[in-house]
Structure formats: C-alpha cells, structure tokens
Amino acid sequence: MSFKPEKADHAAVDEFLENVLDTYKAGDADRATCVGVIAHAMVAAAIGNETEFKNYIRLPGETLFEGV
C-alpha cells in the first residue's frame, strides 16, 4: 500500500534531514547511527506505513537518536 505525501510532509522531510545532518556534523552521532535514522523513515514509507513515517519525520531532533 502506498500513500501520497502532502506538501507539509515535504517540508517535514527537509527538516528531518537537516536535523540528522546537523547532528552528524556536530559529532553528536556517528555515520552508522545517522544512516539508521534515515533508513527507518525510508522503510516506513516504502512499506506504506504512513502513520509511522509522518510521526517519525516530525520527531524533535534529539528524540530521533534516543535508544539508537
């Protein structure tokens, strides 16, 4: 099952990626962790889990890395 992202989702993806890249640049997470965070969102979208995708990309930056 697929879904069509809305305009707000595109903005949220931009902010999500900026958060991940800024965290990496600051040295607060290593490359593998950042790849895992991005992969989580990609897989949620790929399998059509719209709720997980939309919620995950909107998590605050520091929350994205909890428990990783």
Side-chain angles (χ1 to χ4, degrees):
M1 176 182 284
S2 65
F3 63 93
K4 183 176 180 178
E6 300 169 6
K7 188 173 184 174
D9 298 326
H10 291 278
V13 167
D14 289 346
E15 187 173 338
F16 165 76
L17 291 172
E18 289 170 6
N19 285 338
V20 174
L21 293 172
D22 288 346
T23 300
Y24 178 73
K25 183 178 179 182
D28 295 332
D30 63 15
R31 182 178 177 208
T33 299
C34 292
V35 167
V37 167
I38 294 168
H40 182 100
M42 291 176 61
V43 169
I47 65 172
N49 190 339
E50 182 175 2
T51 301
E52 175 66 10
F53 172 74
K54 289 183 176 190
N55 288 337
Y56 192 74
I57 62 171
R58 287 173 171 79
L59 288 173
E62 64 276 358
T63 305
L64 283 170
F65 294 91
E66 288 179 2
V68 193

